[in-house]
Amino acid sequence: MLPSFFASPVLATNIIDIFERCGTVDKIIVVGLLIFSLVAWTVMFGKHFELKRLQLLNLSFDSQLRDHRTLLDTPESFRNKRIIPYADLFAEAIESYWRAEAICRERGELNSRAKLEHAENALQRALARQTLRYESSMIFLASIVSGAPFIGLLGTVWGVMEAFSSVAEQQTAGIQQLAPGVSGAMLATTAGLVVAIPSVFGYNFLLGNTRRMITELENFASSLADRLELESK
């Protein structure tokens, strides 16, 4: 349940009244910040559930892979699950290993080191690709975090300018002349903070999860490389 302060219809009415008194520029800025807020919340929730889903898929695939004694004899079905980050790394490494094996046989060579190098290079490419996948949308969210306060500040400055312009034109400093500009300035500042503050916490939370999952991905790649090296001897 929301606190009574935020659920108060009086407060909502006051905000609407303040918005109606704002100038055109401040209205555009406030509406734009509202759209940014909706987009930021959508991105944060979407990214959270995406990372959670990928983590569960990774754990399930890793558990299935551990049930096989050797990587090189795993069924082909294990290489057809590219949507899973761990499976993508596994498929790249195994397929690259067997391609190198075929080339070595054609040349009459028995160079196990070359096969391992091909597999490790494929692992690095897959690791970079999945890292980009984990980090997708984070730049956009970081832009909202850093940009929203400045957009709100723009509205603040513009509102103050309108207030002083109104006073200069009418040569009086009454509340009627100052209210529209000052109201717009304060509302723009509030809107910028309302967008930025939740986005900061959401971004830091998602960034921590992303870095942890990238570390887990790197550890999985290292484990795959070690197992391949042992099996190729």
Side-chain angles (χ1 to χ4, degrees):
M1 180 179 296
L2 290 172
S4 58
F5 175 77
F6 291 101
S8 172
V10 176
L11 177 62
T13 303
N14 290 340
I15 292 176
I16 294 174
D17 291 340
I18 293 171
F19 179 79
E20 291 176 349
R21 289 197 298 267
C22 293
T24 303
V25 174
D26 279 323
K27 286 181 179 179
I28 293 173
I29 289 175
V30 171
V31 171
L33 287 170
L34 177 61
I35 294 173
F36 284 159
S37 179
L38 294 175
V39 172
W41 280 105
T42 302
V43 170
M44 287 188 290
F45 277 110
K47 193 65 181 178
H48 170 70
F49 289 117
E50 179 192 6
L51 293 177
K52 187 175 182 180
R53 180 178 62 87
L54 292 179
Q55 186 177 32
L56 292 175
L57 290 173
N58 284 340
L59 292 174
S60 176
F61 181 83
D62 189 30
S63 177
Q64 295 176 26
L65 194 62
R66 290 179 185 275
D67 292 338
H68 291 269
R69 296 184 60 184
T70 61
L71 296 179
L72 298 175
D73 295 333
T74 52
E76 188 176 352
S77 60
F78 274 72
R79 301 196 296 273
N80 297 330
K81 302 176 181 179
R82 295 279 188 159
I83 192 174
I84 305 174
Y86 280 13
D88 187 37
L89 266 66
F90 172 77
E92 285 288 342
I94 297 300
E95 291 174 3
S96 181
Y97 182 92
W98 286 122
R99 282 196 300 268
E101 170 77 11
I103 293 173
C104 288
R105 286 182 179 178
E106 289 178 0
R107 296 176 179 176
E109 300 175 355
L110 296 175
N111 190 347
S112 60
R113 186 64 242 172
K115 293 182 287 185
L116 287 175
E117 288 178 354
H118 278 77
E120 289 173 357
N121 290 336
L123 273 174
Q124 291 300 318
R125 291 192 296 271
L127 181 61
R129 182 170 61 248
Q130 292 301 326
T131 298
L132 291 176
R133 181 183 180 186
Y134 283 166
E135 293 177 345
S136 64
S137 303
M138 295 298 291
I139 297 298
F140 179 75
L141 188 57
S143 299
I144 292 179
V145 168
S146 59
F150 290 103
I151 296 174
L153 180 60
L154 173 62
T156 303
V157 174
W158 193 272
V160 173
M161 288 173 57
E162 285 187 338
F164 282 110
S165 296
S166 178
V167 170
E169 289 176 2
Q170 301 184 23
Q171 297 182 353
T172 57
I175 190 66
Q176 296 297 327
Q177 289 75 33
L178 292 173
V182 174
S183 297
M186 296 300 100
L187 186 59
T189 302
T190 303
L193 294 176
V194 166
V195 175
I197 292 173
S199 299
V200 166
F201 288 105
Y203 174 78
N204 289 333
F205 174 77
L206 292 173
L207 183 62
N209 286 345
T210 301
R211 288 178 175 175
R212 174 176 53 79
M213 291 182 64
I214 290 174
T215 300
E216 293 173 353
L217 195 67
E218 292 172 346
N219 291 339
F220 179 77
S222 177
S223 176
L224 280 181
D226 289 342
R227 290 183 64 179
L228 282 174
E229 184 175 3
L230 290 174
E231 293 179 19
S232 62
K233 293 181 178 180

